[in-house]
Amino acid sequence: MFRLIILCLLSLALLGCKSDPYDDLEKQKDGGYAQQDDERLVTAEDQQGPKPSRPDRPVRPLQEDPDVIKDLIGISVDDFHTFIEGQTKAIPFSYTVSEGDAILRIEGLEKMPGAKYDPEKGEIIWRPGYYAANMPLGKVPTGNHQDADPKINSSEYSFDIVVTSSAQPLISRVRTVNIKVVNYRRPLQIENDGETDGLRLVEGQKKRKNFEIKDTDYPDGPFEFYADDIDYTTMVKSDPANPKKFYIDLDPGYGAVKLNGNAKDNRSCRNPSSRCEISFPKKFYVRAPDGHISEKELEVRIRDVRQDPLIVVPKTIEQAGEISFNVDVIDPNEEIVPTVVLVNPITTFGSTPKFQEVKKKADIDVDFRKSMVLRYEDITQEFIGESERLTFRACVMSSANDAASPEFDYCESKTVKVTFTERARRAPVIARDAWNFEDVIYIKRNDTKRVKLPISVLDEDDAIQSVEITKNKNSESDIRWDRVNQELVLKSKTDGLQYFTLTVVSRYGMKSTESFVFEGLPLAWEKNLYMGESQNDKDLGILKQASNSVKIVNPAIMTLDDRLYEERDLLVAGTALLKDPTLSLELVEMVKKVKNILIMTPSLENLPEPIRKEIEKYDVAMLGNLSKQNNSLPLNELDLRIPRDIKLQTPAQGTKVTLEGKLTEFSNDPMTFIVGDLAGSKCSALFSLRKTILNSFTVGVQCVRDNGGVLTLIGFEPGDISSLDPQNQNINVNWVKSLMSGKYLLDETITTTN
């Protein structure tokens, strides 16, 4: 009572206090006092509902000395706490009143399922359930993953500690306690269908291993699966009937184990015993809806299987005058250059034939094939009508061979019947300009390829009577000769090396025979090559969104042979490659062998000199990075634009597309270009960064190459493109799809003065 009297006297002196120091509280409720986030006083009127603390009616502290007010009711508690999903934590607090009994209320716990007040310990105890950190603001966690947002990794909650004194029931003191709940990621388990995490198979064998995902957080997915596909044909696919299951198909072919392998690709069996075998880890990954990635490593063991050497030569040959024909020997495993000899007889048709290797062209690099020519010269007329059987023997190394002292002891023989005929008529001519004898042509399975193969007769009164094609026994491919267009038409239906012979018979029975070799490429053969490091390259992500047919090539660990480039539409390189000048040198040969080129990175200054010269030939110059240009501005002040005559998706009217500058350490400084108007060159600007005409910089160009393909240089990373407007959603993916099409994107029907 003495304290109240003193308080009243103070109020009379300062304000003209009434008998009750709290009578003016309602008059002050619209005054200019700042409300504290974690503490406030509440009047009796505010206490009249189920929720005494109402955010739409903030109540402010009295004007009296705050130390005096705090003496009436005291609450001691920390205002902010961090909780982890699934872990119990207590928030201790204490409270006092100077007069009467304390009346305690805890408000807001209903939004925190499972939270409770322990009066004996004086604390709030809560074990946030799983998904409590994944709830949108204001939403009560239900414990059901279907109500959670996997993109949210932390959520905020709060409750009020409300204390009232029985001696002063017209006022309460409130402290708000704020809680941040952070996500606890429970393990995502990947279980396989066997007891071990291994996979054993032999070359040429296809094998599947099934897996099931057990994810407590998001049991129904959806999940994304992928593998580090560096050198072996691996397919990772989800089970359409069960989103929690997926499988891996491994198809190493017959070239997985290299008897003469290169240490670079780690496939060589250097000290083979009875069986040559290699082993390597194969990693694959599962991405959950919340972005969590789990990996599993599979130990793969592949045993070498040798195939019989192929001897490509017709079974029968009839020739007049000078007998001459080719013999082609191939290692189907594509590992060893075979040996081949004429076994017997040595002397035939009264003479010894010459059996010599055909010299390869300088640009042919095939290390699993040998081409020979057998030729008789000056056979006398007495042998007309006679036949000889010639036997050829081809050998390669077996799996049990010692690489230190190799012996070619895995052999195959083939006999050919050769008949010497009278030179009454000349044989038909098969022109092989488009498919040389030493060439291997590659065809993707189910694709059709047409190759020019003119056939003619030399005698005026002669004509082509028939064209016979004989395939090897394992080939199911369709092969025919189109007489009208003078073309071979091939449709590959079988993977692997295949051969056939084509025999032309003239009206007068004269024959000419040629042999051909091609390889059927797998159905999953990707049409786009990406040069980089791994599946985790940051500039690879947008390519995979734009296309499901991208082959990753890591030049640091892979052998880059001619086969790698076959049937590829596009070569893509980005920051992962160009940031390393030593690796970028590998681009030189690849650019020669792939028709369309797309390079997307600010690190274009590391382009090798031969590629720079090609760019200069098209009258395009790199000016340097943005930061080095006059009138340059910070990246966040510039808009990314496309000219109106470029056939790319146009951003929605009134919206902006920008570069964030955050994808990689190089993203904040794009490369700039200038495009000239050299006669005969065909180049155009694709992208520019611009604020005004004085602050405009070309950051993307495209040129038509001399080979008819398209060279596209982008001085930034498309994965760095950003637009806050939903109307431009996926515009960067759509742009990349267009860039990967291999088409020249300038709309030449539009005239512009940009």
Side-chain angles (χ1 to χ4, degrees):
M1 180 63 70
F2 178 75
R3 184 185 294 271
L4 288 176
I5 293 172
I6 296 298
L7 183 61
C8 188
L9 292 174
L10 285 170
S11 300
L12 285 171
L14 296 172
L15 302 172
C17 179
K18 304 190 174 43
S19 59
D20 189 337
Y22 303 106
D23 285 347
D24 284 341
L25 185 60
E26 282 300 304
K27 296 180 181 179
Q28 297 173 20
K29 63 186 177 183
D30 293 324
Y33 297 94
Q35 178 186 349
Q36 301 297 315
D37 288 338
D38 62 338
E39 182 176 0
R40 61 187 184 276
L41 300 177
V42 184
T43 64
E45 179 182 345
D46 289 306
Q47 295 175 347
Q48 288 178 3
K51 297 181 179 180
S53 175
R54 286 162 44 186
D56 59 330
R57 292 190 61 189
V59 179
R60 300 167 179 82
L62 294 175
Q63 294 185 35
E64 284 81 355
D65 185 344
D67 292 334
V68 175
I69 298 173
K70 289 181 179 179
D71 285 343
L72 299 177
I73 302 173
I75 302 175
S76 176
V77 66
D78 289 336
D79 299 325
F80 182 82
H81 298 264
T82 299
F83 279 58
I84 300 174
E85 286 180 340
Q87 298 183 18
T88 303
K89 185 175 179 179
I91 300 177
F93 67 94
S94 60
Y95 56 93
T96 58
V97 294
S98 58
E99 296 182 6
D101 297 325
I103 303 170
L104 173 68
R105 295 194 311 279
I106 308 295
E107 299 177 353
L109 291 186
E110 69 278 2
K111 294 183 179 180
M112 301 161 51
K116 61 182 180 180
Y117 170 57
D118 185 341
E120 293 184 1
K121 295 183 178 180
E123 59 189 19
I124 300 293
I125 302 173
W126 189 31
R127 180 181 180 272
Y130 296 104
Y131 316 116
N134 313 113
M135 305 306 294
L137 185 63
K139 192 171 182 180
V140 178
T142 63
N144 190 333
H145 71 277
Q146 296 175 339
D147 298 325
D149 184 346
K151 296 185 178 68
I152 300 175
N153 290 314
S154 65
S155 298
E156 296 181 356
Y157 300 85
S158 64
F159 64 89
D160 292 338
I161 301 173
V162 185
V163 179
T164 307
S165 170
S166 60
Q168 300 292 336
L170 298 180
I171 187 169
S172 297
R173 190 170 181 183
V174 180
R175 288 288 295 273
T176 298
V177 179
N178 298 292
I179 298 173
K180 179 180 181 180
V181 179
V182 296
N183 184 67
Y184 176 77
R185 215 332 166 159
R186 289 172 286 183
L188 185 155
Q189 298 180 346
I190 306 173
E191 298 184 354
N192 61 44
D193 58 358
E195 296 180 358
T196 63
D197 292 333
L199 189 61
R200 281 177 165 266
L201 66 164
V202 298
E203 284 187 328
Q205 178 187 14
K206 297 180 180 180
K207 207 161 189 178
R208 173 174 292 183
K209 196 168 184 68
N210 297 292
F211 297 87
E212 184 172 357
I213 299 170
K214 293 190 176 179
D215 186 7
T216 309
D217 278 0
Y218 296 97
D220 299 328
F223 302 103
E224 179 185 352
F225 317 99
Y226 58 93
D228 277 340
D229 186 10
I230 295 299
D231 207 11
Y232 300 93
T233 303
T234 306
M235 296 297 293
V236 184
K237 294 184 177 180
S238 58
D239 186 338
N242 187 340
K244 294 184 288 186
K245 293 185 177 181
F246 70 102
Y247 58 85
I248 289 180
D249 282 344
L250 194 66
D251 179 11
Y254 284 96
V257 184
K258 294 293 187 184
L259 296 184
N260 64 341
N262 188 319
K264 185 178 182 181
D265 58 23
N266 215 13
R267 297 186 300 175
S268 179
C269 188
R270 282 167 173 61
N271 295 300
S273 54
S274 59
R275 286 293 180 185
C276 185
E277 186 177 76
I278 62 170
S279 63
F280 58 92
K282 189 76 176 179
K283 286 186 179 181
F284 57 91
Y285 308 87
V286 175
R287 190 193 306 272
D290 60 348
H292 175 75
I293 296 176
S294 288
E295 71 175 50
K296 193 173 185 70
E297 188 171 285
L298 192 67
E299 183 68 22
V300 178
R301 302 183 72 87
I302 303 176
R303 193 180 70 196
D304 184 61
V305 173
R306 300 301 300 158
Q307 299 179 91
D308 295 338
L310 295 177
I311 304 176
V312 184
V313 66
K315 291 182 179 180
T316 61
I317 294 175
E318 295 181 10
Q319 290 184 354
E322 180 185 290
I323 294 178
S324 176
F325 58 90
N326 292 325
V327 179
D328 206 18
V329 290
I330 302 168
D331 174 18
N333 289 58
E334 302 183 18
E335 301 170 21
I336 303 295
V337 178
T339 62
V340 59
V341 295
L342 173 61
V343 179
N344 68 305
I346 300 301
T347 302
T348 49
F349 299 116
S351 63
T352 300
K354 293 182 178 179
F355 192 47
Q356 298 173 324
E357 184 174 359
V358 178
K359 187 177 181 180
K360 295 177 182 177
K361 293 188 299 184
D363 58 344
I364 298 295
D365 183 22
V366 179
D367 58 359
F368 56 86
R369 180 178 181 181
K370 181 174 286 187
S371 299
M372 308 291 292
V373 61
L374 184 140
R375 179 181 293 109
Y376 287 92
E377 297 177 353
D378 300 326
I379 300 178
T380 61
Q381 297 298 307
E382 63 183 288
F383 293 102
I384 292 176
E386 292 193 12
S387 299
E388 295 282 4
R389 293 186 178 274
L390 306 181
T391 300
F392 300 92
R393 182 176 177 82
C395 300
V396 293
M397 284 169 39
S398 68
S399 295
N401 218 305
D402 184 356
S405 55
E407 293 183 7
F408 285 71
D409 53 2
Y410 200 76
C411 303
E412 179 72 8
S413 298
K414 190 169 184 177
T415 300
V416 180
K417 181 182 178 181
V418 181
T419 302
F420 183 54
T421 63
E422 185 178 1
R423 187 192 292 273
R425 295 283 179 175
R426 289 179 289 182
V429 175
I430 304 172
R432 300 195 58 164
D433 296 339
W435 192 342
N436 291 310
F437 179 71
E438 64 266 30
D439 290 346
V440 176
I441 283 182
Y442 299 88
I443 311 171
K444 188 175 177 181
R445 194 202 307 173
N446 294 335
D447 281 0
T448 299
K449 179 168 284 191
R450 306 178 74 95
V451 183
K452 276 292 181 183
L453 192 77
I455 299 175
S456 60
V457 292
L458 298 177
D459 297 328
E460 290 184 4
D461 60 343
D462 205 352
I464 297 171
Q465 180 173 309
S466 65
V467 176
E468 301 170 359
I469 293 175
T470 304
K471 301 182 292 185
N472 62 301
K473 60 183 179 180
N474 296 323
S475 175
E476 298 177 359
S477 300
D478 295 334
I479 307 169
R480 64 183 177 87
W481 184 67
D482 182 345
R483 184 185 295 265
V484 175
N485 295 304
Q486 297 280 293
E487 292 177 330
L488 268 175
V489 183
L490 305 97
K491 183 174 183 179
S492 176
K493 293 185 176 180
T494 308
D495 295 351
L497 283 173
Q498 302 165 64
Y499 69 90
F500 64 93
T501 58
L502 182 144
T503 302
V504 182
V505 183
S506 73
R507 176 187 296 169
Y508 296 105
M510 302 305 294
K511 296 181 180 180
S512 292
T513 303
E514 294 285 349
S515 301
F516 301 85
V517 179
F518 70 95
E519 181 177 352
L521 300 174
L523 194 61
W525 192 261
E526 299 88 349
K527 65 180 182 179
N528 302 305
L529 279 181
Y530 167 77
M531 289 189 72
E533 294 179 337
S534 73
Q535 291 274 4
N536 298 319
D537 288 356
K538 292 182 179 180
D539 47 7
L540 175 61
I542 194 166
L543 292 179
K544 297 182 72 173
Q545 294 180 61
S547 173
N548 59 3
S549 184
V550 179
K551 167 74 174 179
I552 302 173
V553 178
N554 186 342
I557 63 175
M558 288 183 65
T559 301
L560 307 182
D561 54 24
D562 289 343
R563 180 178 180 271
L564 178 69
Y565 310 109
E566 292 294 336
E567 293 295 310
R568 310 291 191 187
D569 294 342
L570 178 71
L571 171 65
V572 185
T575 299
L577 182 83
L578 269 296
K579 68 182 180 182
D580 186 342
T582 59
L583 286 183
S584 67
L585 291 174
E586 300 285 359
L587 266 177
V588 176
E589 286 302 314
M590 299 188 79
V591 165
K592 295 178 184 177
K593 295 175 180 179
V594 182
K595 187 174 182 180
N596 300 303
I597 310 298
L598 172 59
I599 304 178
M600 314 179 298
T601 174
S603 303
L604 286 168
E605 72 275 3
N606 289 334
L607 279 176
E609 189 63 27
I611 302 178
R612 285 175 172 267
K613 287 183 178 179
E614 179 178 355
I615 296 170
E616 292 170 1
K617 183 172 64 175
Y618 302 139
D619 204 19
V620 171
M622 291 186 290
L623 298 180
N625 295 95
L626 178 66
S627 62
K628 300 176 182 178
Q629 307 308 308
N630 294 329
N631 301 323
S632 67
L633 295 172
L635 194 59
N636 59 7
E637 296 183 23
L638 299 169
D639 299 339
L640 184 64
R641 302 188 183 186
I642 57 173
R644 61 185 294 268
D645 55 351
I646 293 297
K647 291 182 282 189
L648 288 172
Q649 178 186 338
T650 304
Q653 188 172 5
T655 65
K656 289 185 177 182
V657 177
T658 60
L659 295 177
E660 290 188 325
K662 298 178 180 179
L663 187 69
T664 69
E665 58 186 299
F666 308 96
S667 300
N668 64 348
D669 202 6
M671 177 62 68
T672 63
F673 307 88
I674 184 170
V675 181
D677 55 359
L678 183 69
S681 69
K682 195 173 181 181
C683 297
S684 59
L686 285 184
F687 298 99
S688 64
L689 287 170
R690 183 170 181 170
K691 184 172 184 179
T692 68
I693 193 170
L694 297 177
N695 313 108
S696 183
F697 310 93
T698 298
V699 290
V701 299
Q702 188 179 59
C703 297
V704 177
R705 304 181 72 194
D706 292 342
N707 64 3
V710 172
L711 170 65
T712 307
L713 300 174
I714 307 298
F716 56 89
E717 297 140 337
D720 195 51
I721 295 173
S722 173
S723 178
L724 299 177
D725 197 296
Q727 297 180 76
N728 294 329
Q729 189 174 16
N730 293 328
I731 193 170
N732 56 346
V733 176
N734 293 332
W735 281 350
V736 172
K737 284 182 181 178
S738 297
L739 296 174
M740 295 178 73
S741 69
K743 296 179 180 178
Y744 188 51
L745 298 174
L746 177 67
D747 189 344
E748 297 177 278
T749 65
I750 297 177
T751 302
T752 180
T753 56
N754 279 3

